[in-house]
Structure formats: C-alpha cells, structure tokens
C-alpha cells in the first residue's frame, strides 16, 4: 500500500494478538481472571534484552550463561523463562480463586515490575536498549518489513498450535473446570494440575509475544510489566470475544487501530476506547468476532 507505518502497526497487532490469545487460554477457556499476565510479557522482553546486553559486553550472565543475539536462541529462552515464572506464580496463585486470585496475580506482576525498575544494571526506570534486533539465518532483521514477516510466520504457527489446543480434550477439561470445578473433581480429574498446566502454557505464549515486541521495538521497559499492560491485554480479549480462537487477534487489531485513530484526535483517547468497550460488552454478546458472524448471517 506504500505506507510503511501500516507495516509497523500490523506487526504490533500480531504481537499483541499472540499475547491476548495466550491470556484467553486461562481467561476464556479456564475461567481464571489473571490480572498479572503483563509479568510474563515483560519477562519475555527482558530475557531478549539481558541476553543481548551480555552478548554486547562479553560478560556471561551469572558468570556462566553466555549472552546471545540469535533469534533462534533468545526466543526459546524467553519462552522457557516465562514458563518457569508462570509455574512459580501459578503454583501459589491457583491455591486461591475469585477476587483473591485476581489480586494475587496482580501483586506478583507488580513485584516483578518493581524488581526490574530497581535493576540499574539493566536500565532501571529507563529500560534497556537493544541496539540491533536479534539475528536470524538468511534474514535481514534490521529491516522492519522482514521483522513483520517473521512475526507473521510465528503468529501463524502459534494460532495453528492454539487451534489444535482448543480442539483437544485438555481444552474440554478446562471448559468443564470453568463451569464447575467441583463436578470435574468428583469424576476424578485433578483440577489444580490442569489449571496450573494451562497457566504455564499461557505464560509461555505471553513470553513469546514479549520477546517479539522487544525485537520489534529494540527496547525492553518496565512498562511491559505494569498492571496497565495486563489491563490492555484483557480489553483486547473482551473486545474480540472471550473464549474464541481468533477473537483476541481481532480485539488486538481493533484496540491498536482505535488507539492510533483516536490519539490523533485527542489525548483522552482512552475515554473513546472505554465507551466502545461498554458498547461491545452490553450489545454484541460475544465481542467483535460474534458481531461479525451475525452480520454475515452466521450463528456465533
């Protein structure tokens, strides 16, 4: 279309779509309202930034882990570390439910936020600059359009895996737990283990999105871990459709486009997004995806 800015917007939509879809695993299918998923998003971004910083300085992390600027190394590392963080946080948080679960996930996210703010070695409040995007074989990662295509390929693979997950017996168990955990426990299914596994998978997806965002922006910031980022991801899920496969991706697209358009009109663009969100919740009965299906004459 001859508009390079649209390529950057599309890349952001894909990245946030992956993060929102990851949150939707626990929110939409498991009924677990996590207000701390920005923690895993930020951890994924910081893994990329910290590995790059140690690669540039030549000093191993903790004295024995070498730094890296290779995408095929940093992405799996971000997924692994985010999964471990989700395992620890989920193992403690899932011993509660309801409002207590919401608050404890929020508390853990804020703890990690203030941890990274205090790490002056890695930029503290100012964040961590990644001077060059991670390198990938045969690709020019300095080109934003190439980074977009990498994000597109990873998003396609992610949603293909997510489709397989949604149509699996594991997802059926999660939906059963959402409806009645007591009944699922009565037929012999260990609710805690299933919920913890889903929480870890969800955290790994958010970490992948954070790693991609760090490469795209060439910057990792404590803002990636702030509770407002968790709120943005939740808004994307609600806008697109809770418990749907592609709803979070559609919600991410709507949110980012609204942000770009409304921010060009007024600095109070959040007010406009809030009004639209109220309309979606009250009248679409399933988000943008359900509304689009109704307009096409199909049943959501």
């Amino acid at each position: 279309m001859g508009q390079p800015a649209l390529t950057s917007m599309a890349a952001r939509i894909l990245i946030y779509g992956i993060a929102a879809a990851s949150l939707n695993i626990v929110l939409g299918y498991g009924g677990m309202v996590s207000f701390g998923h920005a923690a895993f998003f930020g951890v994924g971004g910081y893994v990329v930034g910290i590995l790059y910083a140690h690669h540039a300085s030549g000093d191993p992390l903790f004295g024995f882990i070498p730094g890296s600027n290779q995408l095929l190394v940093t992405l799996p590392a971000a997924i692994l570390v985010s999964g471990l963080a989700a395992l620890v946080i989920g193992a403690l948080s899932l011993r509660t439910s309801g409002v207590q679960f919401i608050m404890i996930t929020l508390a853990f996210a804020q703890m990690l936020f203030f941890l990274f703010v205090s790490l002056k070695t890695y930029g503290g409040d100012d964040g961590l600059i990644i001077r060059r995007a991670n390198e990938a074989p045969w690709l020019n990662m300095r080109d934003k359009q190439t980074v977009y295509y990498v994000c597109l390929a990873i998003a396609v693979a992610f949603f293909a895996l997510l489709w397989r997950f949604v149509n699996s017996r594991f997802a059926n168990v999660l939906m059963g737990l959402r409806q009645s955990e007591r009944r699922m426990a009565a037929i012999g299914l260990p609710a805690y283990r299933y919920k913890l596994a889903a929480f870890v998978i969800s955290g790994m997806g958010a970490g992948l999105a954070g790693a991609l965002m760090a490469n795209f922006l060439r910057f990792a910031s404590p803002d990636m871990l702030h509770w407002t980022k968790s709120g943005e991801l939740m808004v994307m899920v609600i806008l697109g459709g809770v418990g749907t496969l592609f709803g979070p991706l559609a919600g991410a697209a709507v949110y980012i486009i609204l942000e770009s358009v409304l921010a060009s009109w007024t600095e109070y663009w959040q007010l406009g997004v809030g009004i639209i969100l109220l309309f979606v919740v009250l009248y679409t009965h399933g988000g943008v995806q359900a509304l689009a299906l109704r307009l096409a004459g199909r049943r959501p």
Side-chain angles (χ1 to χ4, degrees), residues 16-70:
Y16 278 118
I18 292 172
S22 300
L23 173 60
N24 192 43
I25 292 173
V26 293
L27 177 62
Y29 294 100
M32 295 171 273
V33 184
S34 170
F35 219 86
H37 255 58
F40 314 125
F41 183 75
V43 165
Y46 264 97
V47 167
V48 172
I50 291 171
L51 287 177
Y52 179 85
H54 284 276
H55 168 78
S57 67
D59 298 324
L61 178 63
F62 303 127
F64 65 94
I65 300 175
S68 178
N69 69 335
Q70 298 297 313

Side-chain angles (χ1 to χ4, degrees), residues 32 91 99 101 118 120 134 156 163 167 201 223 255-256 263 268:
M32 295 171 273
V99 176
F101 177 77
S118 67
K120 302 302 180 185
N134 290 163
V156 169
W163 177 84
N167 292 282
I201 293 169
D223 288 341
Y255 184 87
I256 291 172
Y268 305 109

Side-chain angles (χ1 to χ4, degrees), residues 35 38 106 110 223 225-233 255:
F35 219 86
L106 172 61
Q110 287 301 97
D223 288 341
L225 299 104
H226 199 259
W227 68 269
T228 53
K229 187 66 67 179
S230 296
E232 287 179 14
L233 296 178
Y255 184 87

Side-chain angles (χ1 to χ4, degrees), residues 27 233-242 251 277 280-281 284 286-288:
L27 177 62
L233 296 178
M234 197 169 293
V235 168
M236 291 174 190
V237 174
I238 295 169
L239 278 174
V242 178
L277 180 63
V280 168
V281 171
T284 62
V288 172

Side-chain angles (χ1 to χ4, degrees), residues 43-120:
V43 165
Y46 264 97
V47 167
V48 172
I50 291 171
L51 287 177
Y52 179 85
H54 284 276
H55 168 78
S57 67
D59 298 324
L61 178 63
F62 303 127
F64 65 94
I65 300 175
S68 178
N69 69 335
Q70 298 297 313
L71 193 71
L72 296 179
V73 174
T74 58
L75 282 190
I79 293 170
L80 177 62
V81 174
S82 299
L84 290 174
L87 178 62
V88 173
I89 292 174
L92 298 171
S93 302
L94 289 170
R95 298 182 185 278
T96 63
S97 61
V99 176
Q100 291 85 357
F101 177 77
I102 297 172
M103 295 309 297
I104 198 169
T105 53
L106 172 61
F108 275 119
Q110 287 301 97
M111 286 167 61
L112 286 174
F113 168 77
F114 286 110
L115 170 65
F116 282 102
V117 165
S118 67
L119 294 177
K120 302 302 180 185

